[in-house]
Amino acid sequence: EISTSEIVLKGERLVQSTFRDITERKRQEAALRESEERYRALFEGGNDAIFLHEIGEDGQAGQFLQVNDVACQCLGYNRDELLQLSTRDLRSREMPEVVAQLQAQRSALFEVDLKTKDGRTIPVEINTRLFELGGRPVALSIARDITERRRAAAEQERHLAAINDLYCCLLERD
């Protein structure tokens, strides 16, 4: 890096140049760019909805700070719309037990139904972890759509009920 300035010395106009080795700064800038690219690839590259959101003084999740494309697609919002919302706007119910667990353990795994822009609900399993970012508490939440899991569980329950009914009928015959 070269800095130049004009100086007058004994009535003569001169150019003073200062040279500074910026090799370390350039290395740090490149490392930061690479770190940001890795973060972006992880954040945007997953199959699940990812939300980074504020945590209020009451321990409740606040406004979204960042969301990935999957979150937008899953819930039917564009990124700007979703960033104007908070988890309270999307949850189907309050969850004080999750807030208590997050405060005690700094992480939680739970299921909840999220409301989409068009009013539907989607069952999701959410894995949330609290940490500090820039000196303030935030949460990273990863939400996985469990619609298929719930459908399969209901199907299995129907089959078990049918088997149980058949078994009871066979016992009554004897």
Side-chain angles (χ1 to χ4, degrees):
E1 179 178 74
I2 302 172
S3 301
T4 59
S5 61
E6 188 177 312
I7 62 170
V8 177
L9 184 64
K10 295 182 183 178
E12 200 174 327
R13 292 178 60 195
L14 303 170
V15 174
Q16 176 182 344
S17 298
T18 305
F19 295 85
R20 184 177 318 153
D21 183 355
I22 61 169
T23 304
E24 181 60 22
R25 185 175 82 197
K26 289 294 187 180
R27 188 194 63 71
Q28 289 174 351
E29 288 172 356
L32 179 60
R33 263 191 316 278
E34 183 180 324
S35 176
E36 288 173 351
E37 288 170 5
R38 275 195 311 262
Y39 161 78
R40 181 64 43 209
L42 288 170
F43 195 82
E44 290 297 340
N47 294 326
D48 297 325
I50 302 176
F51 307 89
L52 181 66
H53 46 91
E54 298 174 329
I55 297 295
E57 291 179 19
D58 60 358
Q60 294 282 338
Q63 188 167 342
F64 295 121
L65 300 170
Q66 190 58 262
V67 296
N68 69 353
D69 288 340
V70 175
C72 296
Q73 293 164 4
C74 180
L75 297 171
Y77 292 94
N78 67 45
R79 189 175 309 273
D80 290 335
E81 291 171 326
L82 206 44
L83 290 175
Q84 297 302 312
L85 302 176
S86 74
T87 58
R88 290 178 180 160
D89 298 315
L90 301 179
R91 284 192 314 242
S92 58
R93 60 186 166 88
E94 289 299 314
M95 305 184 71
E97 69 284 358
V98 172
V99 173
Q101 182 181 355
L102 280 170
Q103 289 174 337
Q105 300 174 2
R106 313 281 301 155
S107 66
L109 179 65
F110 58 96
E111 291 182 10
V112 68
D113 291 341
L114 295 182
K115 295 179 276 188
T116 65
K117 184 177 179 178
D118 65 8
R120 294 177 300 114
T121 58
I122 299 172
V124 294
E125 176 183 75
I126 299 180
N127 190 344
T128 298
R129 179 163 302 279
L130 298 181
F131 61 98
E132 284 198 8
L133 184 64
R136 66 182 195 200
V138 296
L140 180 69
S141 297
I142 300 173
R144 175 166 289 165
D145 185 335
I146 58 171
T147 302
E148 188 57 32
R149 183 192 310 170
R150 283 202 182 160
R151 188 203 59 74
E155 181 83 12
Q156 183 179 21
E157 198 172 298
R158 280 193 297 278
H159 286 299
L160 289 174
I163 290 169
N164 189 43
D165 289 347
L166 179 61
Y167 180 72
C168 289
C169 286
L170 290 174
L171 286 177
E172 288 176 3
R173 282 186 175 173
D174 289 342

